[in-house]
Amino acid sequence: MIKAFTYRTELGEKEFSQTIYANSITDSIKNWIDHINDLKNEVYSFDQKSVKSIETQFENGKIKLQQNPNILVYELNDKYQITYINEHKELEPDFIAELEFMTTENGGSKNYAYSGYRPIFKLTDKKEMTSANLIFNEKQKVFPGDRTVTLINILWTEEFENLLYPKLEFELLEPPRMIAKGKIIEVLNKKLNKASR
């Protein structure tokens, strides 16, 4: 079962925080390094030089995971650096779905979506919408035009009680545009399951 891991790094007067989804803490480390590589030079993440240093140390087995508490220890700017890892409880998705992301040419996003992406969820025949948290089961990043199986939690579950069932189609939006079409494979939250009514 997939868990959420929060990586928190205090670097000088700055603090960086990233949420990573993985099956285990050891799996999450590589995903975290991939993530900070994608975000290098953003104001809320590491700079390019620091990311390269972290990647090199990871490849050479020099980054150490210490547990209780969970921390990564490595060198940055000729000093030891610590990143704290908080492990959260296992995620309990509301349903599993197959998603088809629209291509950029067909109105989809210009950028990839990362596991933890939160678009708007809408059933094709209802006007009500809510925020959805997408955890990609097969890969960390999904690009425009990709298909993938996804674990999904929705924020406003009360509005969708007893409405979801396998093969039900829905849309994911970055209003006003639709960025993905979805089809439910399995409903895991019994309150949402139409069959349990």
Side-chain angles (χ1 to χ4, degrees):
M1 181 60 89
I2 291 182
K3 298 180 181 179
F5 299 89
T6 302
Y7 281 68
R8 183 174 59 83
T9 309
E10 296 171 5
L11 195 57
E13 296 180 359
K14 295 181 179 179
E15 181 176 302
F16 306 137
S17 181
Q18 291 91 17
T19 301
I20 303 298
Y21 298 91
N23 292 316
S24 68
I25 193 167
T26 52
D27 290 343
S28 75
I29 296 170
K30 183 180 184 308
N31 294 345
W32 172 68
I33 292 171
D34 288 344
H35 195 50
I36 62 172
N37 190 21
D38 290 337
L39 297 177
K40 61 192 173 196
N41 294 329
E42 297 287 347
V43 294
Y44 49 85
S45 191
F46 296 86
D47 60 44
Q48 192 166 359
K49 181 182 174 186
S50 298
V51 170
K52 185 63 181 170
S53 174
I54 292 168
E55 282 183 313
T56 301
Q57 290 176 73
F58 178 70
E59 290 165 3
N60 294 334
K62 292 184 177 177
I63 288 186
K64 305 296 183 191
L65 170 64
Q66 298 181 11
Q67 296 179 306
N68 300 319
N70 295 325
I71 59 172
L72 292 180
V73 181
Y74 49 97
E75 284 188 31
L76 213 55
N77 302 321
D78 299 320
K79 297 178 182 175
Y80 282 109
Q81 179 63 48
I82 293 175
T83 292
Y84 300 88
I85 309 172
N86 291 325
E87 182 176 337
H88 305 282
K89 66 179 183 180
E90 292 181 351
L91 298 176
E92 297 179 9
D94 291 316
F95 57 93
I96 303 169
E98 182 180 20
L99 296 182
E100 179 184 357
F101 280 78
M102 312 302 288
T103 63
T104 303
E105 298 74 27
N106 288 331
S109 178
K110 294 179 181 177
N111 302 312
Y112 65 82
Y114 206 86
S115 201
Y117 171 56
R118 293 175 181 265
I120 299 299
F121 169 84
K122 178 187 177 300
L123 297 179
T124 52
D125 60 348
K126 279 182 72 73
K127 63 180 181 181
E128 287 77 15
M129 295 183 270
T130 188
S131 176
N133 185 34
L134 310 184
I135 309 300
F136 301 127
N137 210 20
E138 300 168 335
K139 47 192 169 182
Q140 284 294 303
K141 293 184 276 191
V142 176
F143 291 85
D146 280 358
R147 288 176 174 265
T148 188
V149 172
T150 308
L151 306 175
I152 300 180
N153 289 93
I154 56 174
L155 182 64
W156 191 15
T157 54
E158 294 82 3
E159 186 59 35
F160 296 89
E161 283 186 13
N162 303 313
L163 293 180
L164 307 187
Y165 54 88
K167 298 189 180 176
L168 177 65
E169 296 182 354
F170 61 90
E171 301 169 357
L172 295 177
L173 311 170
E174 285 181 1
R177 65 183 175 179
M178 179 171 66
I179 52 95
K181 296 183 215 176
K183 186 183 289 186
I184 293 176
I185 297 171
E186 183 181 359
V187 180
L188 303 173
N189 184 336
K190 291 181 180 178
K191 290 182 179 178
L192 300 176
N193 195 342
K194 187 173 184 178
S196 66
R197 197 177 352 186

